[in-house]
Amino acid sequence: MEILTWWLCAIALIGFMSYQRASLVSFTVSFTILMIIGTFFNAVSFFGWLIFAILALPFNLSEVRKKYISLPLLTAFQKIMPEMSTTEKEALDAGTTWFEADLFRGDPDWQKLHNYPQPRLSAEEKAFLDGPVEEVCRMVDDWHTTHDRADMSPEVWQYLKDNKFFAMIIKKQYGGLEFSAFAQSRVLQKLSGVSTVLSSTVGVPNSLGPGELLQHYGTKEQQDHYLPRLAKGEEIPCFALTSPEAGSDAGAIPDFGVVCHGTFNGEEVLGMKLTWNKRYITLAPIATVLGLAFKLTDPDGLLGDTKDLGITCALIPTDIDGVITGRRHFPLNVPFQNGPTQGNEVFVPLDFIIGGPKMAGQGWRMLVECLSVGRAITLPSNSAGGIKSVALATGAYSRIRRQFKLPIGKMEGVEEALARIGGNAYLMDAVTTLSTGAIDLGEKPSVVSAISKYHLTEKMRQSITDAMDIHGGKGICMGPNNYLARGYQGAPVAITVEGANILTRSMIIYGQGAIRCHPYVLAELEAASNNDSQQALEDFDHALFGHIGFAISNIVRSKWMAFTGSRFVNAPYNDGTKRYYQLLTRFSANLAMLSDIAMLTLGGDLKRRERISARLGDVLSYLYLASATLKRFNDEGRQSSDLPLVAWAVEDSLYRMQQAIDELLSNFPNKMIAIALRAVIFPLGTWLTKPSDKTDHQVAKLLQTPSDARARLGKGQYLTDDGKNVLGQLETALTNTLACEPIFNKICQALDEKLPFYQLDKVAEKGLAADIITEEEAQLLTVTEKQRLAVINVDDFDNDELISANFAQSST
């Protein structure tokens, strides 16, 4: 009996110490005490002590451990370590890790998440949103922009320049606005609710481009010359990276430069001949200064011994002979200025390199460092802002539009789609807030930026499709009153740029996350590549045994939380969200365990197993998305009326995590390991479901009913009813429709008739004639009828209006 009791205590101690991630020394001391107790009760013999000593001493005597365990493993690891290109190394080194690293490590500190300060606008930033941003939203006619002009009007362009919309990232010392990342996001969200052309045009110069690169890497002379001109709008910048032969694989660009002597402005200077052929370059057709990425070579050794210097970035004025710009692409009827640029042996001085000659070959590092910031702002913000506006518009339309004598928003099929739109809108805004807040804290979150870009653009695509399904014919008939079609048409644009989404999901998110976020893998890789053998062994030993303890801990944690349903996991709040924190902690431990098992069993082959990598990346991503949702709920005062939105967003994320793990295990190459992992993670099978019908109903109702929760969902969007803003008119129509329903019902009851809810002006006449309603009530019914018809009607055109002007001219 004593022996059995001792063994049960031993198992419990091992489990407890592993769960708590105790150090090797603490583990050894604790087990030694247990051995002494066991000896006292005759449960441990001399033979037991001998086995314990054989196991414990080699691990605790550092010199013995290093010589006989760590050194052989280091040698083996160096032989199998996957080859890593220079561009991959620079991409890994770029940026920083943030809370996503906590999520990767199996035991997130939720209080740490909630202690991050909530991003807030300064008085200057708020004034900009309420003033110039509001005004330019009023000025832009998106149908005129996309259908008639294929460009914004000259007045809008000038207004953007005059009010420094292209200078949000430029520091005040150069005449810029120097806004926070959060403020930039709010600006883009508001603009994107009005016009994708407008938000794209403003977003690109404030993201990856000459302004950002100059501020971080430019020489003082370059900064003093270009930044004030960019701030004033005297220069229009673009950045040319993508080539016909190098899209997502940007490191393979064929564009090149050769260091040589030549003549520039009548003087003999050391420079470079540049040859390039770029495409998909936003603002290239109208740019005055071209940021150019190319591979620089120095065949004559004019700069030193290195012949192939690598990817380099330079600023090229577009008025130099040989620079070709002006032609345009036509991206899915969303005609923001985008086009190709070419040059053939264009000679420019070396001083045109951003940062001067010393930065030759440093271009890829510059680009990935800036992209780690910009990718978290522009596309995620444009996507979130667009869907916030779409959520309110679709909710309003669903409440106003009737079929079968009831608002279509009360039909369960429509409720399901509405819930997806509303839940995603809440989550997307939460993610942009958290991510831009991290940037404003000084982070360059490369993994977070990839997560944000991929998932928010995908959720935008899903949500705009749902909105089109709900609107039906209203959505597909284009014209000045259609507020969905251009967003629907242009959705694939966001999917393809700044790293195609397929590549981002299958290679970048987990490819960077596994190494950057894991507490030991990067240290192991760095130790293995260290030429100092003694230091390499020291570092590898420390990382290796930390990694072993970490892996054991996550296996124990995963099994314990599966056994207990994670109900004993601490959560920061003991309310309706407590269960969410517990389940997220469980999935965090699962991710950490699965990552280690995948790395151990697949080794370097994991890099090529893109679908395994993608599913692990999905788990990390949804952990981050759900965390952002809970952070937003907390920052906004834990409003109970927002709980349906929180529930939908988090439960959808949890379900998708479970689905990703289930698919991973079903497709894991080693079937025996897959079976064992399933027994640890899902001993009773999968159990989480999509958000319930009840939650869907609550979210759908919220979108259709004016309230504080609905206002928070659409906060910051352009909803002013100025007589031209279709979304503002829709909001007014919703308010008036709801106000008319009691009046309408009163008339029907008094007349004992079941009248249809249309021709409200005639209903008003009946009500007045029967002395049932007042003049004011009749007036409201009449006005609302006009608004109702404006909401449900679609645009139509004379045939000649739809014929291209160029075709019409050629025909005559």
Side-chain angles (χ1 to χ4, degrees), residues 372-384:
S372 66
V373 172
R375 189 161 52 185
I377 301 175
T378 305
L379 288 169
S381 299
N382 286 351
S383 299

Side-chain angles (χ1 to χ4, degrees), residues 12 42 132 152 161 173 188 199 229 237 246 266 290 297 304 319 376 391 395 397 502 550 553 613 672 682 716 740 770:
N42 296 318
M152 296 183 299
K161 294 176 183 178
Q173 69 186 86
L188 294 175
S199 60
R229 296 171 63 82
L290 169 70
T297 62
D319 59 0
Y397 178 83
I502 289 176
F550 177 75
S553 170
S613 176
M672 294 302 296
F682 299 135
C740 279

Side-chain angles (χ1 to χ4, degrees), residues 711-773:
R712 281 190 292 273
L713 187 66
K715 184 179 180 180
Q717 297 310 107
Y718 182 61
L719 302 174
T720 305
D721 187 356
D722 57 10
K724 297 188 299 181
N725 180 14
V726 179
L727 298 183
Q729 294 170 355
L730 194 52
E731 288 294 292
T732 301
L734 172 64
T735 300
N736 287 345
T737 297
L738 294 175
C740 279
E741 287 181 351
I743 303 171
F744 175 83
N745 292 335
K746 181 168 64 174
I747 294 172
C748 291
Q749 290 172 3
L751 296 177
D752 196 23
E753 292 184 55
K754 292 185 178 180
L755 300 171
F757 197 82
Y758 58 79
Q759 296 183 334
L760 299 181
D761 50 342
K762 294 183 179 179
V763 173
E765 291 174 2
K766 286 186 176 182
L768 276 178
D771 200 25
I772 301 169
I773 59 174

Side-chain angles (χ1 to χ4, degrees), residues 118-151:
Q118 180 183 6
R120 297 186 185 277
L121 298 171
S122 68
E124 181 183 2
E125 291 165 343
K126 190 175 186 307
F128 187 79
L129 278 160
D130 294 341
V133 177
E134 182 85 4
E135 177 60 18
V136 80
C137 288
R138 185 195 63 77
M139 292 173 66
V140 169
D141 180 337
D142 195 51
W143 176 250
H144 181 61
T145 297
T146 58
H147 183 73
D148 298 330
R149 297 189 60 90
D151 193 8

